[in-house]
Amino acid sequence: MTHDTPSLFEDESARPLADRLRPRNLGEVLGQEHLLAPEAPIGRMIAQERLVSMILWGPPGCGKTTIARLLAEQTRLAFEPLSATFSGVADLRKVFQTATRRRQIGQGTLLFVDEIHRFNRSQQDSFLPYVEDGTVVLVGATTENPSFELNGSLLSRCQVYVLRRLDDAALDTLIARAEDLAGRTLPLTDDARQAVTAMADGDGRYLLNMAEQLQSLPADTEPLDVTALTAQVHKRAPQYDKKQDSHYNLISALHKSMRGSDPDAALYWLARMLEGGEDPRFIARRITRFATEDIGMADPQAVQQPLTAWQVYERLGSPEGELALAQAVVYLATAPKSVSVYRGFGAAQQRARRTGSLLPPAHILNAPTGLMKNLGYGENYQYDPDTANGFSGADYFPDDMDREVFYQPTQQGYEAQVSQRLERWSELRARQKGLET
């Protein structure tokens, strides 16, 4: 691994390790071969020396800034970096004016905007004419889902490329590069070395910062075990924003793991959410919805599990109450599944919107006054518990509406019994209708 050569007036040791190990070409960038390899999308653009505007979406420390800088170098474009956190309209105007002057003398400009999602709608709109006419090639970097954070008009003019968090192999390579540059291995046991990559959680920059701390220890330091390591460096907080994409991704993973009857995966995603600082009440609310949506009549008692867990958490708080949530998640994941009520109710809602204000049939209306009795309210109403089969077979739909089937039970769990009961009632209803005709 080569590294940047400092100038005569620059102290090499004063530069952060992550900066000294910054890749000098795209081939040295780790973990993003699906985009940068010669046959990959960005690799093909580099070979043709023709870039399009793009959004690089990925977690912290995966190489977004480095890739943008190298793209400019390898396509001979002037590199203009901006941070949306610290820049405003005046900074954008200055960059666009400079890029326009460059274009007049045949020099292109790559405008790199870090944290581009932090620009508001009007600031994002200001890019459009300059991107559209080729004054700048825009490379925006974001850790947030562009679908939620960027204007549709800007997205339509850019390719979105998803960068991956660095896997263990890439992180191991980074450690090796750091050791090669320092000329000595990190003072770690094998277990502690594995712990370092786990603590980095896919963030290469954070990994190198930890390596730099460890390299600052005396050369005769005995190899640190996991306990000694954690005393030297702090664990990276999991990437999790309760208001952004990771929030929705993890609750979706929890929901689908329970739906797929996988209690182990469900417990993992529950733990990830709690570790990331998610409000347990939000989790309780979502798994309560799951019980009615995805289990329903297959186990009518399932909804009591998340409701009870919710109450336990309110009484005990964290961390004791989190075990009740875990129990509810396991119960829901292992329960039989049915969406018949969910789908049936949705179909009934659509039908109700189409039928408007149709009145109930007169025979099921109460008749507290003589006038209402004269109008036929309650006439010939049959009290089902008093019938021979406990079922009258009467029609409860509006007179001007044909009978429809909205609820179609499955053969899962308790719902199998409900299915048999409904089939029996359907037979009795048909028999009753035959007698009436």
PDB file of all heavy atoms in Angstrom, residues 32 65 115 148 159 165 225 248 281 315 329 350 375 433:
ATOM      1  N   GLN A  32     -15.915  -1.866  -2.522  1.00  0.00           N
ATOM      2  CA  GLN A  32     -16.884  -1.298  -3.463  1.00  0.00           C
ATOM      3  C   GLN A  32     -16.651  -1.793  -4.891  1.00  0.00           C
ATOM      4  O   GLN A  32     -16.919  -1.085  -5.862  1.00  0.00           O
ATOM      5  CB  GLN A  32     -16.822   0.250  -3.423  1.00  0.00           C
ATOM      6  CG  GLN A  32     -16.847   0.853  -2.039  1.00  0.00           C
ATOM      7  CD  GLN A  32     -18.030   0.415  -1.200  1.00  0.00           C
ATOM      8  OE1 GLN A  32     -19.093   0.084  -1.742  1.00  0.00           O
ATOM      9  NE2 GLN A  32     -17.874   0.410   0.111  1.00  0.00           N
ATOM     10  N   THR A  65     -16.121  10.045   0.034  1.00  0.00           N
ATOM     11  CA  THR A  65     -15.305  11.222  -0.287  1.00  0.00           C
ATOM     12  C   THR A  65     -14.096  10.832  -1.123  1.00  0.00           C
ATOM     13  O   THR A  65     -13.755  11.509  -2.102  1.00  0.00           O
ATOM     14  CB  THR A  65     -14.856  11.919   1.010  1.00  0.00           C
ATOM     15  OG1 THR A  65     -16.006  12.274   1.786  1.00  0.00           O
ATOM     16  CG2 THR A  65     -14.055  13.169   0.703  1.00  0.00           C
ATOM     17  N   GLU A 115     -22.803  15.120   2.546  1.00  0.00           N
ATOM     18  CA  GLU A 115     -24.062  15.260   3.302  1.00  0.00           C
ATOM     19  C   GLU A 115     -25.085  16.086   2.513  1.00  0.00           C
ATOM     20  O   GLU A 115     -25.744  16.983   3.046  1.00  0.00           O
ATOM     21  CB  GLU A 115     -23.809  15.903   4.672  1.00  0.00           C
ATOM     22  CG  GLU A 115     -22.819  15.155   5.534  1.00  0.00           C
ATOM     23  CD  GLU A 115     -23.337  13.799   5.993  1.00  0.00           C
ATOM     24  OE1 GLU A 115     -24.560  13.625   6.088  1.00  0.00           O
ATOM     25  OE2 GLU A 115     -22.506  12.913   6.258  1.00  0.00           O
ATOM     26  N   PHE A 148     -36.056   9.656   0.268  1.00  0.00           N
ATOM     27  CA  PHE A 148     -36.738  10.457   1.269  1.00  0.00           C
ATOM     28  C   PHE A 148     -36.171  11.871   1.369  1.00  0.00           C
ATOM     29  O   PHE A 148     -36.876  12.802   1.731  1.00  0.00           O
ATOM     30  CB  PHE A 148     -36.622   9.788   2.647  1.00  0.00           C
ATOM     31  CG  PHE A 148     -37.242   8.423   2.721  1.00  0.00           C
ATOM     32  CD1 PHE A 148     -36.690   7.450   3.535  1.00  0.00           C
ATOM     33  CD2 PHE A 148     -38.361   8.104   1.979  1.00  0.00           C
ATOM     34  CE1 PHE A 148     -37.253   6.176   3.615  1.00  0.00           C
ATOM     35  CE2 PHE A 148     -38.930   6.845   2.037  1.00  0.00           C
ATOM     36  CZ  PHE A 148     -38.373   5.885   2.857  1.00  0.00           C
ATOM     37  N   GLN A 159     -27.565   9.443 -11.233  1.00  0.00           N
ATOM     38  CA  GLN A 159     -27.579   8.017 -10.950  1.00  0.00           C
ATOM     39  C   GLN A 159     -27.327   7.834  -9.458  1.00  0.00           C
ATOM     40  O   GLN A 159     -26.478   8.518  -8.886  1.00  0.00           O
ATOM     41  CB  GLN A 159     -26.487   7.300 -11.739  1.00  0.00           C
ATOM     42  CG  GLN A 159     -26.699   7.294 -13.238  1.00  0.00           C
ATOM     43  CD  GLN A 159     -27.858   6.399 -13.657  1.00  0.00           C
ATOM     44  OE1 GLN A 159     -28.088   5.360 -13.052  1.00  0.00           O
ATOM     45  NE2 GLN A 159     -28.577   6.803 -14.673  1.00  0.00           N
ATOM     46  N   ARG A 165     -21.218  -1.194   3.435  1.00  0.00           N
ATOM     47  CA  ARG A 165     -20.364  -1.125   4.612  1.00  0.00           C
ATOM     48  C   ARG A 165     -19.204  -2.095   4.411  1.00  0.00           C
ATOM     49  O   ARG A 165     -19.343  -3.122   3.732  1.00  0.00           O
ATOM     50  CB  ARG A 165     -21.148  -1.481   5.881  1.00  0.00           C
ATOM     51  CG  ARG A 165     -21.589  -2.928   5.941  1.00  0.00           C
ATOM     52  CD  ARG A 165     -22.534  -3.199   7.073  1.00  0.00           C
ATOM     53  NE  ARG A 165     -21.946  -2.999   8.372  1.00  0.00           N
ATOM     54  CZ  ARG A 165     -21.207  -3.886   9.022  1.00  0.00           C
ATOM     55  NH1 ARG A 165     -20.960  -5.059   8.457  1.00  0.00           N
ATOM     56  NH2 ARG A 165     -20.737  -3.627  10.211  1.00  0.00           N
ATOM     57  N   ASP A 225      -5.708  -8.089  25.472  1.00  0.00           N
ATOM     58  CA  ASP A 225      -6.856  -8.970  25.257  1.00  0.00           C
ATOM     59  C   ASP A 225      -8.105  -8.105  25.071  1.00  0.00           C
ATOM     60  O   ASP A 225      -8.012  -6.863  25.056  1.00  0.00           O
ATOM     61  CB  ASP A 225      -7.022  -9.964  26.405  1.00  0.00           C
ATOM     62  CG  ASP A 225      -7.238  -9.281  27.754  1.00  0.00           C
ATOM     63  OD1 ASP A 225      -7.551  -8.069  27.775  1.00  0.00           O
ATOM     64  OD2 ASP A 225      -7.096  -9.962  28.790  1.00  0.00           O
ATOM     65  N   TYR A 248     -36.544   2.535   9.669  1.00  0.00           N
ATOM     66  CA  TYR A 248     -37.549   1.800   8.903  1.00  0.00           C
ATOM     67  C   TYR A 248     -37.017   0.449   8.431  1.00  0.00           C
ATOM     68  O   TYR A 248     -37.767  -0.531   8.355  1.00  0.00           O
ATOM     69  CB  TYR A 248     -38.022   2.644   7.720  1.00  0.00           C
ATOM     70  CG  TYR A 248     -38.662   3.933   8.159  1.00  0.00           C
ATOM     71  CD1 TYR A 248     -38.002   5.139   8.027  1.00  0.00           C
ATOM     72  CD2 TYR A 248     -39.933   3.942   8.738  1.00  0.00           C
ATOM     73  CE1 TYR A 248     -38.581   6.325   8.445  1.00  0.00           C
ATOM     74  CE2 TYR A 248     -40.524   5.119   9.162  1.00  0.00           C
ATOM     75  CZ  TYR A 248     -39.842   6.307   9.011  1.00  0.00           C
ATOM     76  OH  TYR A 248     -40.409   7.473   9.440  1.00  0.00           O
ATOM     77  N   ARG A 281     -41.430   1.566  23.336  1.00  0.00           N
ATOM     78  CA  ARG A 281     -42.879   1.756  23.153  1.00  0.00           C
ATOM     79  C   ARG A 281     -43.248   1.720  21.677  1.00  0.00           C
ATOM     80  O   ARG A 281     -44.322   1.244  21.307  1.00  0.00           O
ATOM     81  CB  ARG A 281     -43.313   3.076  23.782  1.00  0.00           C
ATOM     82  CG  ARG A 281     -43.114   3.128  25.299  1.00  0.00           C
ATOM     83  CD  ARG A 281     -43.370   4.528  25.837  1.00  0.00           C
ATOM     84  NE  ARG A 281     -43.075   4.614  27.263  1.00  0.00           N
ATOM     85  CZ  ARG A 281     -41.849   4.806  27.760  1.00  0.00           C
ATOM     86  NH1 ARG A 281     -40.803   4.914  26.934  1.00  0.00           N
ATOM     87  NH2 ARG A 281     -41.654   4.881  29.064  1.00  0.00           N
ATOM     88  N   ARG A 315     -44.334  -0.603  33.395  1.00  0.00           N
ATOM     89  CA  ARG A 315     -44.182  -0.755  34.843  1.00  0.00           C
ATOM     90  C   ARG A 315     -42.716  -0.911  35.258  1.00  0.00           C
ATOM     91  O   ARG A 315     -42.286  -0.347  36.255  1.00  0.00           O
ATOM     92  CB  ARG A 315     -44.989  -1.965  35.337  1.00  0.00           C
ATOM     93  CG  ARG A 315     -46.492  -1.726  35.347  1.00  0.00           C
ATOM     94  CD  ARG A 315     -47.214  -2.972  35.826  1.00  0.00           C
ATOM     95  NE  ARG A 315     -48.652  -2.749  35.905  1.00  0.00           N
ATOM     96  CZ  ARG A 315     -49.289  -2.286  36.978  1.00  0.00           C
ATOM     97  NH1 ARG A 315     -48.604  -2.005  38.073  1.00  0.00           N
ATOM     98  NH2 ARG A 315     -50.598  -2.122  36.966  1.00  0.00           N
ATOM     99  N   VAL A 329     -42.209 -11.097  21.100  1.00  0.00           N
ATOM    100  CA  VAL A 329     -41.687 -11.286  19.746  1.00  0.00           C
ATOM    101  C   VAL A 329     -41.561 -12.776  19.429  1.00  0.00           C
ATOM    102  O   VAL A 329     -41.922 -13.226  18.335  1.00  0.00           O
ATOM    103  CB  VAL A 329     -40.332 -10.563  19.591  1.00  0.00           C
ATOM    104  CG1 VAL A 329     -39.565 -11.072  18.375  1.00  0.00           C
ATOM    105  CG2 VAL A 329     -40.552  -9.062  19.470  1.00  0.00           C
ATOM    106  N   GLN A 350     -63.413  -1.034   0.966  1.00  0.00           N
ATOM    107  CA  GLN A 350     -63.584  -0.606  -0.421  1.00  0.00           C
ATOM    108  C   GLN A 350     -65.052  -0.701  -0.851  1.00  0.00           C
ATOM    109  O   GLN A 350     -65.576   0.200  -1.516  1.00  0.00           O
ATOM    110  CB  GLN A 350     -62.710  -1.460  -1.339  1.00  0.00           C
ATOM    111  CG  GLN A 350     -61.222  -1.255  -1.151  1.00  0.00           C
ATOM    112  CD  GLN A 350     -60.401  -2.100  -2.108  1.00  0.00           C
ATOM    113  OE1 GLN A 350     -60.926  -2.690  -3.057  1.00  0.00           O
ATOM    114  NE2 GLN A 350     -59.099  -2.174  -1.868  1.00  0.00           N
ATOM    115  N   LEU A 375     -93.650   0.849   9.797  1.00  0.00           N
ATOM    116  CA  LEU A 375     -92.780   0.910   8.622  1.00  0.00           C
ATOM    117  C   LEU A 375     -92.032  -0.402   8.386  1.00  0.00           C
ATOM    118  O   LEU A 375     -91.252  -0.525   7.448  1.00  0.00           O
ATOM    119  CB  LEU A 375     -91.767   2.055   8.783  1.00  0.00           C
ATOM    120  CG  LEU A 375     -92.349   3.473   8.745  1.00  0.00           C
ATOM    121  CD1 LEU A 375     -91.266   4.498   9.053  1.00  0.00           C
ATOM    122  CD2 LEU A 375     -92.976   3.762   7.376  1.00  0.00           C
ATOM    123  N   LYS A 433     -82.473 -20.481   2.369  1.00  0.00           N
ATOM    124  CA  LYS A 433     -82.897 -19.716   1.184  1.00  0.00           C
ATOM    125  C   LYS A 433     -83.701 -20.600   0.248  1.00  0.00           C
ATOM    126  O   LYS A 433     -84.679 -20.140  -0.374  1.00  0.00           O
ATOM    127  CB  LYS A 433     -81.650 -19.178   0.461  1.00  0.00           C
ATOM    128  CG  LYS A 433     -81.975 -18.227  -0.671  1.00  0.00           C
ATOM    129  CD  LYS A 433     -80.692 -17.592  -1.243  1.00  0.00           C
ATOM    130  CE  LYS A 433     -81.029 -16.611  -2.337  1.00  0.00           C
ATOM    131  NZ  LYS A 433     -79.824 -15.993  -2.912  1.00  0.00           N
TER     132      LYS A 433
END
